[in-house]
Amino acid sequence: QLQLAESGGGLVQPGGSLRLSCAASGFTLDYYAVGWFRQAPGKDREGISCISNSGGDSNYADSLKGRFTISRDNPKNTVYLQMNSLKPEDTAVYYCAARFAPDGSCPWSAEEYDYWGQGTQVTVSS
């Protein structure tokens, strides 16, 4: 079964940057769309971004566009989320998820994804 592992989270000051990684093990991500989600305490899971299997298509939450950038390196079997100008309200557990999507689609809904990582904590605080 495809397994995903997030890394790169941690404590960062407001205005700082982090790059999260989502690494797949045992399988190639070449045919999988990947999405990033986050969940803060007491809040619903929120979609951040998605990227198609080839990287040819991507979507972002409107409120995050311009600060967050999704990318992928299929030879490394890894998807990234670059986060800039971080704010305290970005504090959350960040998850990546994968869906078999060889058609190049970029699903947005969390319910469309089949494989999930365990999450990595991002804390933005001074």
Side-chain angles (χ1 to χ4, degrees), residues 66-86:
R67 293 198 298 122
F68 288 18
T69 303
I70 193 169
S71 63
R72 65 190 301 157
D73 188 341
N74 281 350
K76 293 184 177 180
N77 225 23
T78 302
V79 174
Y80 304 97
L81 183 69
Q82 179 67 44
M83 306 187 296
N84 299 324
S85 302
L86 286 164

Side-chain angles (χ1 to χ4, degrees), residues 1-7 21-29 32-36 77-79 95-99 113-119:
Q1 182 177 335
L2 176 65
Q3 293 185 328
L4 302 174
E6 304 92 340
S7 63
S21 298
C22 175
S25 61
F27 298 87
T28 178
L29 285 175
Y32 290 81
V34 174
W36 282 97
N77 225 23
T78 302
V79 174
Y95 301 90
C96 67
R99 180 197 182 193
Y113 289 90
D114 302 303
Y115 305 99
W116 291 80
Q118 297 184 65

Side-chain angles (χ1 to χ4, degrees), residues 28-74:
T28 178
L29 285 175
D30 288 356
Y31 301 109
Y32 290 81
V34 174
W36 282 97
F37 302 83
R38 68 184 183 184
Q39 188 164 23
K43 295 186 177 181
D44 294 333
R45 184 169 47 190
E46 176 187 12
I48 299 170
S49 181
C50 64
I51 189 166
S52 62
N53 66 309
S54 67
D57 191 25
S58 61
N59 288 319
Y60 297 89
D62 288 341
S63 62
L64 302 177
K65 189 176 297 184
R67 293 198 298 122
F68 288 18
T69 303
I70 193 169
S71 63
R72 65 190 301 157
D73 188 341
N74 281 350

